[in-house]
Structures are given as structure tokens and as C-alpha cells.
Amino acid sequence: MDLLQKRFIKYTDQIGITGSFVCLVHCIITSGIMIGSSVISHSSHHHHEHIHQLDIWGIIDISMIVVSGIAVYFSTKKCSSKETRSHIMWGSYLVYSLSMISKYFGFEPAWLSIISYAMSFVLIGSHLMNLKECKH
């Protein structure tokens, strides 16, 4: 079991990069679909409100939050000498998570989506730096 844990910890930065990238792609595509459907519905004078719920997309959102959290936890453990980066990773993860979860409570201004995208980029960058500097 110890060998499996060491291998897992070795790849947490790659998992974090992949998770953050998949989140960005998912959010951008979903936003594009929502904007497109909103334009179509407004052009036909049919109005409906977009409500986030725990359907398949919600489960994907929550899964990305969990995977990112696990990746940040183990990535910061394996490279404890880089305390500033650890704070940046945890801070960006918390802002990212709160921005993702807030839409399920009806709070979804456009600026919050931009912050969520920015935090995904910060997480990707932090994981890349960890990958380069912390080879355990």
C-alpha cells in the first residue's frame, strides 16, 4: 500500500493540471452552450432561467472540486519547502471551489466565472512549478 501511495503522490501535480484543464474546458464549453441557447431562446421570445442543479453537470462540477482538492493536498505535502506556493495553491483552490459552489445557491455574476477561470489557470501554473521543482 505504501508503494501505491508514493506513486499516487508522485503524480498529484499531473492530476491537478489535468483536473484544472478539464474544468476550464468544461466551463468554457458549458458557458458557450448556455450563451448559445440563451441567444436562441431570446430570439424566439421564449425566456427561461438557467438553474444549476445536481444533475450530471453538477456531479461533474463537484467531482472536479474534489479531485482538485486531493491534488492540492498531496502536491503541497510533497513539496513542503515551497510554503508560498502552498499558500497560493490553497488560496486559489478555495476561491475556485467557492466560485463553483456558489452557483448552486443562485449567486452567479459574470465576474465570478472569470475569477473561477483565473483560479484554474493559477492552479495549473502552481502544479507546473511544483512538477518542475519538487521531483519526489
Side-chain angles (χ1 to χ4, degrees):
M1 190 64 160
D2 191 41
L3 179 63
L4 181 63
Q5 184 178 7
K6 285 181 182 180
R7 282 190 176 182
F8 174 75
I9 290 172
K10 181 180 178 181
Y11 293 107
T12 54
D13 286 310
Q14 291 93 328
I15 293 167
I17 292 166
T18 303
S20 295
F21 181 75
V22 167
C23 177
L24 276 172
V25 170
H26 161 74
C27 291
I28 291 169
I29 288 173
T30 304
S31 295
I33 291 170
M34 295 303 158
I35 290 170
S37 67
S38 178
V39 168
I40 290 170
S41 68
H42 285 11
S43 67
S44 64
H45 303 292
H46 176 262
H47 180 70
H48 69 279
E49 193 171 312
H50 174 68
I51 299 171
H52 289 279
Q53 52 189 327
L54 282 176
D55 55 3
I56 187 68
W57 298 111
I59 292 169
I60 291 171
D61 286 346
I62 300 301
S63 299
M64 284 188 248
I65 291 169
V66 170
V67 168
S68 292
I70 292 168
V72 166
Y73 176 79
F74 285 108
S75 292
T76 56
K77 289 285 187 191
K78 84 175 176 185
C79 195
S80 58
S81 65
K82 306 294 182 192
E83 194 169 315
T84 302
R85 187 170 322 117
S86 176
H87 292 306
I88 291 170
M89 288 179 92
W90 277 113
S92 59
Y93 169 72
L94 289 173
V95 172
Y96 158 78
S97 298
L98 291 173
S99 67
M100 293 290 288
I101 292 171
S102 68
K103 64 186 172 186
Y104 292 97
F105 293 100
F107 184 70
E108 193 177 7
W111 59 266
L112 195 59
S113 295
I114 293 167
I115 288 174
S116 178
Y117 298 154
M119 293 302 103
S120 291
F121 280 116
V122 170
L123 282 169
I124 290 170
S126 298
H127 281 297
L128 284 170
M129 290 172 66
N130 246 18
L131 192 60
K132 181 181 175 186
E133 296 175 12
C134 307
K135 299 182 184 213
H136 291 120

